[in-house]
mmCIF file of all heavy atoms in Angstrom:
data_model
loop_
_atom_site.group_PDB
_atom_site.id
_atom_site.type_symbol
_atom_site.label_atom_id
_atom_site.label_comp_id
_atom_site.label_asym_id
_atom_site.label_seq_id
_atom_site.Cartn_x
_atom_site.Cartn_y
_atom_site.Cartn_z
ATOM 1 N N LEU C 176 -29.287 -4.180 -14.586
ATOM 2 C CA LEU C 176 -29.503 -3.108 -15.560
ATOM 3 C C LEU C 176 -29.058 -3.527 -16.962
ATOM 4 O O LEU C 176 -28.149 -4.339 -17.120
ATOM 5 C CB LEU C 176 -28.734 -1.846 -15.136
ATOM 6 C CG LEU C 176 -29.106 -1.276 -13.761
ATOM 7 C CD1 LEU C 176 -28.281 -0.023 -13.464
ATOM 8 C CD2 LEU C 176 -30.598 -0.967 -13.682
ATOM 9 N N ALA C 177 -29.717 -2.957 -17.973
ATOM 10 C CA ALA C 177 -29.394 -3.259 -19.366
ATOM 11 C C ALA C 177 -27.989 -2.739 -19.699
ATOM 12 O O ALA C 177 -27.531 -1.754 -19.113
ATOM 13 C CB ALA C 177 -30.421 -2.600 -20.282
ATOM 14 N N PRO C 178 -27.313 -3.404 -20.651
ATOM 15 C CA PRO C 178 -25.921 -3.047 -20.977
ATOM 16 C C PRO C 178 -25.692 -1.555 -21.253
ATOM 17 O O PRO C 178 -24.699 -0.976 -20.784
ATOM 18 C CB PRO C 178 -25.636 -3.882 -22.228
ATOM 19 C CG PRO C 178 -26.520 -5.066 -22.094
ATOM 20 C CD PRO C 178 -27.763 -4.584 -21.394
ATOM 21 N N LEU C 179 -26.614 -0.944 -21.965
ATOM 22 C CA LEU C 179 -26.434 0.468 -22.288
ATOM 23 C C LEU C 179 -26.456 1.334 -21.016
ATOM 24 O O LEU C 179 -25.694 2.293 -20.881
ATOM 25 C CB LEU C 179 -27.547 0.916 -23.247
ATOM 26 C CG LEU C 179 -27.330 2.264 -23.929
ATOM 27 C CD1 LEU C 179 -26.134 2.201 -24.873
ATOM 28 C CD2 LEU C 179 -28.586 2.674 -24.700
ATOM 29 N N ILE C 180 -27.346 0.973 -20.096
ATOM 30 C CA ILE C 180 -27.462 1.715 -18.824
ATOM 31 C C ILE C 180 -26.214 1.467 -17.972
ATOM 32 O O ILE C 180 -25.710 2.378 -17.309
ATOM 33 C CB ILE C 180 -28.726 1.277 -18.048
ATOM 34 C CG1 ILE C 180 -29.964 1.290 -18.946
ATOM 35 C CG2 ILE C 180 -28.938 2.148 -16.822
ATOM 36 C CD1 ILE C 180 -30.329 2.636 -19.502
ATOM 37 N N VAL C 181 -25.709 0.233 -18.020
ATOM 38 C CA VAL C 181 -24.486 -0.080 -17.279
ATOM 39 C C VAL C 181 -23.342 0.813 -17.776
ATOM 40 O O VAL C 181 -22.561 1.344 -16.976
ATOM 41 C CB VAL C 181 -24.118 -1.569 -17.438
ATOM 42 C CG1 VAL C 181 -22.743 -1.852 -16.839
ATOM 43 C CG2 VAL C 181 -25.179 -2.452 -16.787
ATOM 44 N N GLU C 182 -23.263 0.996 -19.088
ATOM 45 C CA GLU C 182 -22.236 1.878 -19.650
ATOM 46 C C GLU C 182 -22.397 3.304 -19.126
ATOM 47 O O GLU C 182 -21.421 3.963 -18.782
ATOM 48 C CB GLU C 182 -22.316 1.882 -21.183
ATOM 49 C CG GLU C 182 -21.847 0.588 -21.823
ATOM 50 C CD GLU C 182 -20.463 0.172 -21.340
ATOM 51 O OE1 GLU C 182 -19.504 0.935 -21.559
ATOM 52 O OE2 GLU C 182 -20.352 -0.896 -20.702
ATOM 53 N N GLN C 183 -23.646 3.767 -19.066
ATOM 54 C CA GLN C 183 -23.900 5.131 -18.558
ATOM 55 C C GLN C 183 -23.471 5.263 -17.100
ATOM 56 O O GLN C 183 -22.876 6.273 -16.712
ATOM 57 C CB GLN C 183 -25.389 5.472 -18.656
ATOM 58 C CG GLN C 183 -25.856 5.801 -20.065
ATOM 59 C CD GLN C 183 -27.365 6.055 -20.123
ATOM 60 O OE1 GLN C 183 -28.015 6.262 -19.101
ATOM 61 N NE2 GLN C 183 -27.917 6.032 -21.317
ATOM 62 N N ILE C 184 -23.785 4.243 -16.314
ATOM 63 C CA ILE C 184 -23.390 4.265 -14.906
ATOM 64 C C ILE C 184 -21.859 4.308 -14.812
ATOM 65 O O ILE C 184 -21.286 5.064 -14.017
ATOM 66 C CB ILE C 184 -23.944 3.015 -14.156
ATOM 67 C CG1 ILE C 184 -25.477 3.011 -14.189
ATOM 68 C CG2 ILE C 184 -23.404 2.934 -12.736
ATOM 69 C CD1 ILE C 184 -26.176 3.871 -13.178
ATOM 70 N N GLY C 185 -21.206 3.527 -15.662
ATOM 71 C CA GLY C 185 -19.740 3.534 -15.681
ATOM 72 C C GLY C 185 -19.187 4.915 -16.010
ATOM 73 O O GLY C 185 -18.249 5.396 -15.363
ATOM 74 N N ASP C 186 -19.782 5.575 -16.988
ATOM 75 C CA ASP C 186 -19.330 6.913 -17.370
ATOM 76 C C ASP C 186 -19.523 7.912 -16.227
ATOM 77 O O ASP C 186 -18.681 8.778 -15.983
ATOM 78 C CB ASP C 186 -20.106 7.409 -18.608
ATOM 79 C CG ASP C 186 -19.729 6.627 -19.858
ATOM 80 O OD1 ASP C 186 -18.685 5.918 -19.831
ATOM 81 O OD2 ASP C 186 -20.466 6.706 -20.861
ATOM 82 N N VAL C 187 -20.656 7.779 -15.541
ATOM 83 C CA VAL C 187 -20.944 8.688 -14.431
ATOM 84 C C VAL C 187 -19.949 8.483 -13.279
ATOM 85 O O VAL C 187 -19.500 9.439 -12.646
ATOM 86 C CB VAL C 187 -22.411 8.479 -13.983
ATOM 87 C CG1 VAL C 187 -22.563 8.666 -12.504
ATOM 88 C CG2 VAL C 187 -23.321 9.431 -14.733
ATOM 89 N N ILE C 188 -19.588 7.225 -13.044
ATOM 90 C CA ILE C 188 -18.599 6.941 -11.989
ATOM 91 C C ILE C 188 -17.269 7.611 -12.347
ATOM 92 O O ILE C 188 -16.610 8.220 -11.496
ATOM 93 C CB ILE C 188 -18.422 5.414 -11.804
ATOM 94 C CG1 ILE C 188 -19.718 4.805 -11.241
ATOM 95 C CG2 ILE C 188 -17.238 5.107 -10.897
ATOM 96 C CD1 ILE C 188 -19.769 3.293 -11.285
ATOM 97 N N THR C 189 -16.891 7.524 -13.617
ATOM 98 C CA THR C 189 -15.665 8.183 -14.077
ATOM 99 C C THR C 189 -15.738 9.689 -13.832
ATOM 100 O O THR C 189 -14.777 10.312 -13.371
ATOM 101 C CB THR C 189 -15.451 7.905 -15.582
ATOM 102 O OG1 THR C 189 -15.409 6.492 -15.779
ATOM 103 C CG2 THR C 189 -14.157 8.519 -16.074
ATOM 104 N N GLU C 190 -16.897 10.272 -14.128
ATOM 105 C CA GLU C 190 -17.060 11.718 -13.978
ATOM 106 C C GLU C 190 -17.045 12.141 -12.488
ATOM 107 O O GLU C 190 -16.417 13.142 -12.125
ATOM 108 C CB GLU C 190 -18.354 12.168 -14.669
ATOM 109 C CG GLU C 190 -18.684 13.647 -14.539
ATOM 110 C CD GLU C 190 -17.595 14.578 -15.077
ATOM 111 O OE1 GLU C 190 -16.773 14.141 -15.914
ATOM 112 O OE2 GLU C 190 -17.563 15.755 -14.640
ATOM 113 N N ILE C 191 -17.726 11.356 -11.648
ATOM 114 C CA ILE C 191 -17.725 11.645 -10.212
ATOM 115 C C ILE C 191 -16.286 11.642 -9.695
ATOM 116 O O ILE C 191 -15.867 12.501 -8.929
ATOM 117 C CB ILE C 191 -18.560 10.579 -9.448
ATOM 118 C CG1 ILE C 191 -20.051 10.757 -9.761
ATOM 119 C CG2 ILE C 191 -18.305 10.646 -7.947
ATOM 120 C CD1 ILE C 191 -20.921 9.596 -9.299
ATOM 121 N N ASN C 192 -15.533 10.666 -10.163
ATOM 122 C CA ASN C 192 -14.138 10.561 -9.749
ATOM 123 C C ASN C 192 -13.308 11.738 -10.272
ATOM 124 O O ASN C 192 -12.467 12.293 -9.563
ATOM 125 C CB ASN C 192 -13.575 9.229 -10.250
ATOM 126 C CG ASN C 192 -12.115 9.087 -9.910
ATOM 127 O OD1 ASN C 192 -11.255 9.133 -10.783
ATOM 128 N ND2 ASN C 192 -11.826 8.934 -8.640
#
Side-chain angles (χ1 to χ4, degrees):
L176 301 180
L179 193 66
I180 311 298
V181 172
E182 289 308 299
Q183 284 177 15
I184 298 279
D186 291 345
V187 146
I188 293 168
T189 303
E190 177 58 22
I191 290 168
N192 177 250

